[in-house]
Amino acid sequence: MTAPDGSGGVIRIATLTAHDGRMPALIRAAKTNADEARAQPGCLTAEVCAVPDDAAHLIVVSRWRSMGDLAAFLNWHEGIAHALIRQASAAPPHAVHYPVHR
């Protein structure tokens, strides 16, 4: 899908690190956050992914129609998401945003 500005939108990749023994709780929290993201305007997809050969990390990949859509979601949701994630995470999420060029 091409955004109104001609771009392909934005891909957000967030890396989450589980506390020892808390990976199931981190997966549940990440899935809740991904479900909430998918319900927001401009979210094209959001997936929780295992990291091969790394039992301590998860990757959450989401694609957004525009940086504005992603920013609006983060402004609304980031405090809630971090509260859920914080309970099972050994560190704050690390996120990188990648503009998609078409």
Side-chain angles (χ1 to χ4, degrees):
M1 169 179 259
T2 302
D5 65 1
S7 73
V10 177
I11 293 176
R12 173 182 166 88
I13 299 178
T15 303
L16 309 175
T17 306
H19 276 301
D20 288 340
R22 300 285 294 156
M23 183 57 82
L26 187 60
I27 291 169
R28 284 191 302 275
K31 285 182 176 182
T32 296
N33 289 335
D35 290 344
E36 291 176 6
R38 284 190 294 272
Q40 299 307 305
C43 183
L44 304 174
T45 186
E47 306 299 334
V48 178
C49 305
V51 177
D53 301 320
D54 184 346
H57 291 93
L58 285 179
I59 301 291
V60 180
V61 179
S62 58
R63 185 167 184 164
W64 295 84
R65 184 179 51 213
S66 70
M67 190 63 210
D69 289 327
L70 173 57
F73 170 70
L74 292 175
N75 287 338
W76 168 76
H77 185 69
E78 203 159 60
I80 299 166
H82 285 187
L84 288 172
I85 297 295
R86 193 176 306 120
Q87 298 171 17
S89 183
H94 173 74
V96 179
H97 303 155
Y98 298 94
V100 177
H101 298 286
R102 295 275 173 165

